[in-house]
Amino acid sequence: MPDHLPRRQVLRTAGALGLGAATAGALTSTAEATGAPDRFAPMGAHHGKLEIRKDPFGTTPDGKKVDVYTFSNGRVTISMLTWGATIQRVETPDRRGRVENISLGFDNLPDYATLSPYFGSTIGRFGNRIAKGKFSIDGASYQIPVNNGENALHGGTTGFDKRVWSAKTVQTSKAVGVAFSYVSPDGEMGFPGELTTTVTYTLDRDDNLRIDYHATVKGKPTIVNLTNHVYFNLAGEGSGSIDGHVLQLNAPKYTPVDAGLIPTGEIAPVAGTPFDFTKPTAIGARLRGDHPQLVVGRGYDHNFVLGGKADADGMRFAARFWEPAEGRTVTVHTTEPGAQFYSGNFLDGTFRGIGNKAYRQGDAFAFETQHFPDSPNQPNFPSTVLRPGQTYKSTTVYSFGTK
């Protein structure tokens, strides 16, 4: 979703962080400062060997150190930053065993702070859009700073993606990863209540990246809708269009949007529309059609209502993406009722990512498992209200493979 802000709008975010042209320069990147390569040495000589390490990544203007955690099972390697609890890299083999990074991102902290359209970020307090940044709980009204036209997107101007999270390594005989935590004070970005969030990312021996979200609130009820905004290109980051990627999406319905990409409130069937991916279909097959919803979103930038029954753990199949040429796949299961499928419509080539590669329109997709956009203002959508004494829990699993 233009979760992917135009460059000029992303730069305005720097102002919210106190990162004007001069101040942004105060951010330091460890790779730049030391001359270190932008690629870490391979980890794990054998499939099934679980490893993790921490390295410095940079420092914010106010002196907060940002680290990168790299963890591997010997086949898949994940790199994550304490800045925004961000997935920086996902390195996986293709069907011939050739390893590539399939996740869009940057190799330095200043670009994440001033340019990133949420590459790999943990999103909060509220993923996706809230109409005009306004909502109410129990008759009390709240205002979130708008940062996407007249609407609030991904928690406002300085969401969880722009915070430095605390981190703790997690390692068992079956999985390895990092538990990230952040305490959002009452009133931050206009949200009520003190929210304590822990998001745990673990990679197991079978190439499953599991994300467990946990949150509690003190003092006042609030709204919560956490997700991750990783961008994938299964042929390799910066390799070109994802139009040829094949998608199967377990969603018989979706939520149409208005000109501001706010849901109209309708829950519409996908049958007979370009939004029907219930059978495997190339992403680009109908992308440039004249369906009004494709025109409004400049492509796919919509919430899909997931179908089917959940298993005993509350999980259900959400989607499978396949890149035919190299053979990589990613399969998604989640406890969430919906997912935002975004076809990279607002990537415009104005900045360069890892490996000095420009990202252009349609060069990646995002699949953000979530509750529905603007849920606080849509009474027929699943509720996102979290009250003191309650616990927010959500799980999503990305399974990497080949075909």
Side-chain angles (χ1 to χ4, degrees), residues 232-235 239-247 277 281-288 298-300 322-324 341 343-345 360-365:
F232 287 121
N233 184 319
L234 300 183
S239 64
S241 172
I242 48 91
D243 282 6
H245 284 46
V246 175
L247 168 61
F277 287 93
T281 305
I283 291 173
R286 300 161 299 189
L287 185 60
R288 288 163 179 78
R298 302 188 192 181
Y300 297 105
W322 172 49
E323 197 284 305
F341 169 50
S343 54
N345 319 324
R360 296 184 170 84
Q361 186 179 45
D363 277 1
F365 68 86

Side-chain angles (χ1 to χ4, degrees), residues 111-122:
D111 281 354
Y112 274 107
T114 59
L115 296 177
S116 179
Y118 307 100
F119 286 149
S121 301
T122 297

Side-chain angles (χ1 to χ4, degrees), residues 18 21 162 185 204 212 222 226 340:
K162 298 175 183 68
D204 69 16
D212 290 299
T222 192
L226 303 176
Q340 187 88 3

Side-chain angles (χ1 to χ4, degrees), residues 41-56:
M43 295 183 65
H46 306 286
H47 190 202
K49 184 177 181 181
L50 302 176
E51 296 181 294
I52 187 167
R53 72 161 179 262
K54 180 177 77 171
D55 295 286

Side-chain angles (χ1 to χ4, degrees), residues 166-183:
S166 63
K168 182 174 66 174
T169 59
V170 176
Q171 188 161 8
T172 68
S173 62
K174 297 180 179 180
V176 63
V178 185
F180 296 93
S181 297
Y182 177 70
V183 179

Side-chain angles (χ1 to χ4, degrees), residues 118-161:
Y118 307 100
F119 286 149
S121 301
T122 297
I123 301 296
R125 288 189 190 189
F126 196 93
N128 218 302
R129 295 175 177 84
I130 298 174
K132 300 183 179 179
K134 297 180 179 180
F135 65 93
S136 62
I137 303 175
D138 300 338
S141 297
Y142 300 97
Q143 177 69 61
I144 310 306
V146 299
N147 59 335
N148 185 239
E150 64 178 9
N151 304 313
L153 175 66
H154 291 334
T157 50
T158 312
F160 286 7
D161 59 295

